Amino acid sequence: MVTDSQPAALHPETVAIHGRRHTEHAHGALAAPLFQTSTFSFHNAAEGAERFAGGGSGYVYTRLGNPTVRELEERLAALEGAEDAVAFASGMGAVSAALLASLKAGDHLITSRCLYGCTHTLIDETLAGFGIAATRLAAITPASLNAALRPESRVLYLETPVNPTLEVVDIAPLAAIAHRRGLTVIVDNTFMTPLLQQPLACGADLVVHSATKFLNGHGDVIAGAVCGDRERLEALRHGPLKTVGAVLDPFAAWLILRGLKTLALRVARHQDNAGRLAAWLRRRPEVSQVTWPGFDDHPAAALRSRQMQGGGALLTFELHGGYDAAVRFLDRLELCRLAVSLGDAETLVEHPASMTHATYGAEALAAAGISPGLIRLAAGLEHPADLIADLEQALAASGADRPGRRAA
């Protein structure tokens, strides 16, 4: 039962806990019930036939829908300001479904040269094998987008901030150009979460998330989601989700619902820690460059103030001494964990060129701006002084040359 006692417009921190409206669960349960079932029984044959025909209310089979998963979808849609959401078994399941539902053989996709490694492979290898062409731009601006458009262009796919280089992309003018030519605009909002950026409000049509990251926040779930208008999402639900089958497990959905209750608190701490670490790293003589979108002198600072609520929890840096110094630094970390992913309670540090973006060749890495010495840090929830102490001892062991510093 859903009641209408809540005000029409709730703050995002409240929406993360309650959704758009307060949900009253069976038996007065405060927490969302877990429907850990593969199938659902019918009272009679007529009811079964009606549900399979798409009529009536109720569920048929968890691949086609589940009450726990549905509650998560409604919560995520509310957070993104979307009509609806569809949950998937992984972030790449969500990305793949959004692209497969929006493209067919002979179509053309426009995106950036730098993307998450698996998205890069999906576009350059899998979709290319289906006869879908892609133009990869070094920087996506109104001018470069206009130049890349073709009659067969159908999708503009964006990450912002870009993984891992952290360029910030101006969604609104690009979406306006894309829509004039009939393109669907898809934005990966994993790095920022709906609390720090809302791409749909900037003109995007679909928003994808790796719910593995901040939305869950505890490093124990693999999940994804697509948010957007109901018509597109029904096509996703009855197309790629139903037939390809990247279905989210109900227990994973339940864990994410639990994680969402602390999302606002966690994101604030993640972002605050990232800012503190970025500022501290800038002052270190071993460090040659630090990039964090929250810096006042970041090239996109003015855009960030319009489009985002802060700089997020991700930063990158390079050491004097390049790759060799980076490896020595990574191998000496103790508190910070050498692991891919982000949004967990633990601070996670990784080497993009050999880890998350290992599918890129040497030329593609260079073209994407991913140097051999680039280090990506996803700030966790620890006390910043403890994180700084760990970074300091690892820097001391890195053997980085100390000719001065250069920050950007």
Side-chain angles (χ1 to χ4, degrees):
M1 173 183 174
V2 176
T3 66
D4 294 307
S5 59
Q6 296 292 340
L10 298 173
H11 291 84
E13 298 88 342
T14 305
V15 172
I17 298 169
H18 293 281
R20 287 190 173 99
R21 296 175 292 173
H22 170 64
T23 301
E24 186 174 313
H25 297 115
H27 308 295
L30 180 63
L34 170 58
F35 290 87
Q36 190 68 34
T37 181
S38 60
T39 195
F40 300 83
S41 61
F42 315 121
H43 290 98
N44 50 57
E47 182 183 58
E50 183 182 27
R51 289 189 191 177
F52 266 90
S57 61
Y59 293 89
V60 171
Y61 191 65
T62 282
R63 179 162 52 83
L64 310 178
N66 176 282
T68 309
V69 176
R70 185 59 190 152
E71 182 162 348
L72 173 63
E73 291 171 341
E74 291 173 346
R75 189 79 52 84
L76 295 179
L79 277 169
E80 280 289 3
E83 286 184 357
D84 206 351
V86 178
F88 290 87
S90 70
M92 282 310 302
V95 172
S96 299
L99 289 173
L100 289 171
S102 305
L103 295 161
K104 64 181 187 306
D107 286 348
H108 175 238
L109 161 74
I110 301 172
T111 189
S112 61
R113 195 170 289 171
C114 186
L115 291 170
Y116 169 55
C118 289
T119 306
H120 159 83
T121 303
L122 171 68
I123 290 171
D124 276 18
E125 296 182 14
T126 307
L127 295 186
F130 294 159
I132 297 167
T135 296
R136 307 286 295 273
L137 300 175
I140 301 184
T141 64
S144 68
L145 175 58
N146 273 314
L149 286 166
R150 305 178 187 173
E152 64 271 23
S153 298
R154 295 294 179 267
V155 168
L156 172 63
Y157 184 89
L158 305 173
E159 291 179 353
T160 182
V162 175
N163 183 5
T165 55
L166 302 181
E167 291 103 334
V168 178
V169 179
D170 195 349
I171 300 170
L174 299 174
I177 293 169
H179 289 156
R180 284 198 292 271
R181 295 289 294 269
L183 276 69
T184 297
V185 179
I186 305 172
V187 177
D188 186 332
N189 199 30
T190 298
F191 273 22
M192 297 308 292
T193 81
L195 297 184
L196 299 181
Q197 180 173 263
Q198 293 208 321
L200 296 178
C202 298
D205 298 301
L206 295 174
V207 174
V208 297
H209 282 279
S210 173
T212 307
K213 313 302 194 295
F214 294 102
L215 299 180
N216 175 53
H218 293 79
D220 52 13
V221 162
I222 299 292
V226 183
C227 305
D229 65 273
R230 194 162 287 113
E231 182 178 355
R232 284 187 175 90
L233 292 181
E234 282 301 298
L236 283 182
R237 192 182 303 279
H238 297 292
L241 181 65
K242 179 180 178 180
T243 57
V244 179
V247 178
L248 183 62
D249 175 71
F251 183 56
W254 185 86
L255 288 173
I256 299 168
L257 282 166
R258 185 175 66 169
L260 286 175
K261 293 183 178 183
T262 60
L263 178 64
L265 296 172
R266 291 186 288 103
V267 166
R269 180 60 176 261
H270 283 300
Q271 181 166 255
D272 182 68
N273 274 355
R276 290 172 184 268
L277 296 180
W280 181 83
L281 285 165
R282 265 191 161 186
R283 298 192 294 269
R284 296 296 302 187
E286 303 94 339
V287 177
S288 63
Q289 182 168 331
V290 181
T291 300
W292 178 56
F295 282 141
D296 289 339
D297 59 355
H298 187 280
L303 168 58
R304 181 198 68 230
S305 67
R306 298 195 310 271
Q307 184 171 287
M308 300 151 62
Q309 301 296 315
L314 279 291
L315 61 98
T316 63
F317 59 98
E318 299 199 39
L319 306 182
H320 296 293
Y323 173 77
D324 291 337
V327 169
R328 288 191 292 268
F329 167 82
L330 293 169
D331 287 347
R332 287 299 297 266
L333 290 171
E334 296 175 356
L335 183 64
C336 301
R337 306 305 296 269
L338 181 56
V340 299
S341 200
L342 49 120
D344 292 345
E346 298 84 359
T347 292
L348 305 181
V349 186
E350 65 109 0
H351 181 248
S354 66
M355 297 179 186
T356 53
H357 292 69
T359 55
Y360 282 63
E363 280 189 22
L365 285 170
I370 304 171
S371 72
L374 187 72
I375 297 168
R376 191 189 80 182
L377 184 150
L381 304 179
E382 304 94 339
H383 194 287
D386 296 328
L387 295 172
I388 287 171
D390 189 33
L391 295 177
E392 187 168 29
Q393 64 83 23
L395 285 174
S398 70
D401 297 327
R402 303 173 180 230
R405 65 177 178 85
R406 174 172 56 88

